[in-house]
Amino acid sequence: MAQRSVVATCTPRPVAQRAWIVAAILTSILSQTPTGAACASQWAIDPTEPGPKVPARGRSLFDELTEDGVPFPFEALLAQIDRRLGCSSHTCIDAVLIPLGRSLQRLSAAPDFFGSPRIVAAVTGEGDGRVLARHRLYLGYQPRAAVIEVISYNEQAGRFEFQIVHAYRAGGRPRTTQAERTVCLACHQNHAPIFSRPLWSETSANPLVATALGAAAGAAVARDGRWFGVDLRRGVDAPNAIDEATDAANLYAVTQRLWRDACDARCRRTAVKAAVAYRLSGGRVFEPLPHFASAFEAAFPDGLAIPNPDLPNRDPMPATVTGAMRAHVPGGFEALRPRAPLEVWRASDPYLDRRFVIGLAAMVASRDVASLRRDPAAAYARLRTHGCEDATVSRAMLRQALGLAHDPGLATRAQIPPPAPNRAADAVPRNAAPPVPALPTREAEFVAPCGACHATEEPTPPNFLAGDAARVKANLRQCAPRIFVRLALWQRDPAAWAKVPMPPPRAAAAGRPALQTSADPVVVTLRRTVADWIEDEGRGTASLDRLLEQGYENLRPCLTVRH
């Protein structure tokens, strides 16, 4: 089973003092810890700063593995990834089926959720090939939507890329694009993959879910118990492996931050040597890092808040409701809900340097470890003269520092730029809402707080601010009941949130309201506008309680999604 760290009673410090106080209050409510215990730690990676949509350096691992196209069906894609990772004698991938989950695509198969479950796959093993993908590639495929959501590491940029494969169907022409990071990070607050805690009851590891999936699949299930390439008989082994992979991936950004801000060139050389010694000894040898604690203290005097990749376990079975309400995710289980830090690292921690070394060791490929075993002394001698000046830890940099033989294939792939069609997005400022047409005053008020997520080309989340002025006006009125509920929930105690309010609590930049315990003036204005639209329809006074009586997912659909 994956090991868990105790969640610290500490919240990071946003820029504004008022925002910090509100964040501390809200975090204490969510984690049921006293507000007096809150502190001012920095996030290892800021959930409110998505960064550029398209990376300035490098490209995603998924782009590298599918540079000649994305094969269909999904089983063929998984087989291609295995093959190119050098996993021909075994599989390096674990996968589960999630018919009633929490992704943006969760309603795509309604009401036949079990007939078209979402497949979540992760590279959890390491092959014999030149590409290091273990814990670095995650796929979420919804067959009915013909969409694959991809989270894939970019070695040169030192970050995970969020991408979408469109038109992934028989006869389709799959097309991979960069996803809107602002949208993704509302849930992926750690800039990395997320997954539920045990017992992973949403997945095919749940016997009730597996039985329902088997009944829906019928003859489609192969003799070996596989459907969409997923072995329905594996029980908890597959989700446990994915969970451990997301926990490992969560620490990549932490290791990069320590490398960049708490470790100078001399420290880096010592840390790389310690990481190699740790790997060569199978984790039995650890060489301390002198002065690392003092450098950490200087960089992070209040500690470093480690992001949380874990969602609370949610059991959708047995469902006592029917139709779209089967996909309803209560506010307490939504991935949008702000997550307190997993823990806070401090300079006083006697294991602090060990944590850093272990994180760095995870970035050394097993293939490279095997090469180092031949002559580790020569590698250490080469390391003493290397500058270690790169601000990002990458496999190419580590190989060069350790004097490993030049690998032309590895170097060439690492330098390939992102696909040219995506480069236009680099011109869009970070966190800026996409351009929208000139709108009447009341409709235009939605652009700043909502545009970054709802003015995109993607149908999910509902893109009610996309299109010409007439379409936007019609969309807003169609979506009015759902928008009203999300805005009105800001005035409810977080413990009683039926859904997470909108704009999302972590979307606290570029004109979008920050965390709040009472409604922001912008939210109040928008709520009044939507209430007027509802009343104009002859539905009486807009009431949160009345709208929620019928169940959120039973409210009038916001937009019709066509796949």
Side-chain angles (χ1 to χ4, degrees):
M1 292 292 210
Q3 297 298 310
R4 300 290 164 190
S5 301
V6 177
V7 175
T9 58
C10 180
T11 188
R13 174 175 52 197
V15 175
Q17 179 69 11
R18 176 180 176 273
W20 174 80
I21 294 172
V22 173
I25 293 171
L26 182 55
T27 301
S28 71
I29 291 172
L30 299 183
S31 60
Q32 297 183 341
T33 57
T35 57
C39 62
S41 303
Q42 296 182 50
W43 278 114
I45 189 162
D46 192 336
T48 69
E49 287 292 332
K53 176 180 175 179
V54 174
R57 304 177 62 201
R59 64 173 181 169
S60 78
L61 180 62
F62 183 76
D63 283 340
E64 179 177 334
L65 293 171
T66 60
E67 57 190 358
D68 56 351
V70 183
F72 184 88
F74 195 63
E75 297 93 315
L77 173 59
L78 298 184
Q80 174 173 295
I81 292 172
D82 259 340
R83 187 168 58 254
R84 293 185 175 178
L85 296 181
C87 304
S88 55
S89 62
H90 63 287
T91 180
C92 291
I93 299 172
D94 278 286
V96 293
L97 300 181
I98 304 180
L100 296 167
R102 286 172 265 191
S103 80
L104 287 175
Q105 308 297 333
R106 65 183 177 275
L107 289 171
S108 297
D112 185 21
F113 296 104
F114 293 92
S116 181
R118 186 170 186 252
I119 301 97
V120 173
V123 176
T124 58
E126 191 170 345
D128 300 324
R130 287 188 275 187
V131 179
L132 175 59
R134 184 171 186 248
H135 301 162
R136 298 179 175 212
L137 177 59
Y138 303 81
L139 308 174
Y141 168 46
Q142 170 47 253
R144 192 68 51 81
V147 163
I148 305 176
E149 295 164 315
V150 181
I151 302 177
S152 178
Y153 201 62
N154 177 340
E155 273 262 284
Q156 295 301 296
R159 72 172 196 173
F160 279 98
E161 303 296 342
F162 293 83
Q163 298 175 288
I164 301 175
V165 180
H166 301 266
Y168 190 70
R169 59 170 66 90
R173 299 179 65 183
R175 177 175 58 95
T176 304
T177 65
Q178 296 292 120
E180 297 289 344
R181 288 183 74 88
T182 299
V183 175
C184 300
L185 265 58
C187 294
H188 293 267
Q189 298 157 22
N190 57 337
H191 294 234
I194 56 180
F195 203 65
S196 73
R197 293 192 289 266
L199 297 166
W200 311 291
S201 301
E202 286 173 319
T203 75
S204 43
N206 181 338
L208 293 176
V209 171
T211 298
L213 286 168
V221 175
R223 291 182 178 180
D224 61 359
R226 293 180 177 274
W227 194 24
F228 294 108
V230 178
D231 189 344
L232 296 179
R233 305 166 303 173
R234 284 204 64 200
V236 300
D237 290 346
N240 183 63
I242 296 173
D243 191 13
E244 289 182 342
T246 58
D247 287 348
N250 184 62
L251 294 178
Y252 285 178
V254 179
T255 301
Q256 296 284 8
R257 181 72 184 273
L258 293 175
W259 175 272
R260 184 176 70 249
D261 294 343
C263 206
D264 59 16
R266 182 178 180 182
C267 165
R268 291 174 180 178
R269 289 192 291 270
T270 305
V272 172
K273 181 177 181 296
V276 170
Y278 184 85
R279 288 294 302 275
L280 289 175
S281 68
R284 292 186 298 273
V285 172
F286 168 69
E287 300 177 358
L289 305 184
H291 315 300
F292 181 70
S294 58
F296 181 96
E297 175 72 23
F300 312 109
D302 297 311
L304 189 66
I306 308 304
N308 190 346
D310 297 326
L311 303 181
N313 184 53
R314 169 178 169 263
D315 189 352
M317 305 287 285
T320 58
V321 294
T322 59
M325 278 302 292
R326 298 204 72 176
H328 174 67
V329 180
F333 293 94
E334 283 192 278
L336 288 166
R337 195 178 182 99
R339 295 190 293 280
L342 189 66
E343 57 183 349
V344 176
W345 291 4
R346 301 188 183 283
S348 58
D349 180 358
Y351 296 104
L352 179 66
D353 56 348
R354 185 184 295 266
R355 292 174 185 263
F356 177 44
V357 168
I358 291 174
L360 200 57
M363 295 185 169
V364 181
S366 295
R367 179 184 175 118
D368 297 339
V369 172
S371 298
L372 291 166
R373 289 189 189 282
R374 302 188 188 105
D375 192 355
Y380 293 153
R382 171 69 177 85
L383 182 61
R384 284 195 292 271
T385 63
H386 193 273
C388 287
E389 297 174 350
D390 289 12
T392 301
V393 182
S394 68
R395 185 182 178 190
M397 183 277 294
L398 290 172
R399 287 178 58 88
Q400 184 184 36
L402 293 165
L404 293 179
H406 178 63
D407 186 333
L410 193 97
T412 300
R413 287 195 300 271
Q415 295 169 9
I416 294 178
N422 286 336
R423 283 206 175 275
D426 272 331
V428 179
R430 289 191 302 173
N431 299 328
V436 294
L439 298 169
T441 301
R442 302 192 83 185
E443 285 80 2
E445 290 171 339
F446 287 83
V447 174
C450 308
C453 294
H454 297 284
T456 73
E457 296 179 355
E458 301 299 328
T460 56
N463 54 350
F464 50 75
L465 290 174
D468 59 26
R471 178 183 169 188
V472 170
K473 183 175 180 179
N475 286 345
L476 284 169
R477 283 157 179 76
Q478 170 68 22
C479 298
R482 291 178 181 247
I483 293 175
F484 180 85
V485 167
R486 294 287 190 148
L487 294 172
L489 280 167
W490 271 119
Q491 291 188 313
R492 291 287 171 90
D493 186 316
W497 281 349
K499 300 290 290 182
V500 171
M502 292 291 176
R506 282 298 183 208
R512 299 185 297 283
L515 290 167
Q516 50 197 278
T517 52
S518 60
D520 185 280
V522 173
V523 170
V524 172
T525 298
L526 297 182
R527 190 179 67 239
R528 287 173 180 165
T529 296
V530 178
D532 288 345
W533 292 338
I534 292 173
E535 291 168 14
D536 289 345
E537 293 181 20
R539 294 174 175 266
T541 303
S543 164
L544 176 60
D545 290 330
R546 181 171 57 81
L547 286 169
L548 286 177
E549 281 178 0
Q550 56 186 303
Y552 181 81
E553 299 298 349
N554 283 332
L555 292 174
R556 184 169 70 202
C558 190
L559 298 177
T560 300
V561 178
R562 295 181 175 85
H563 300 293

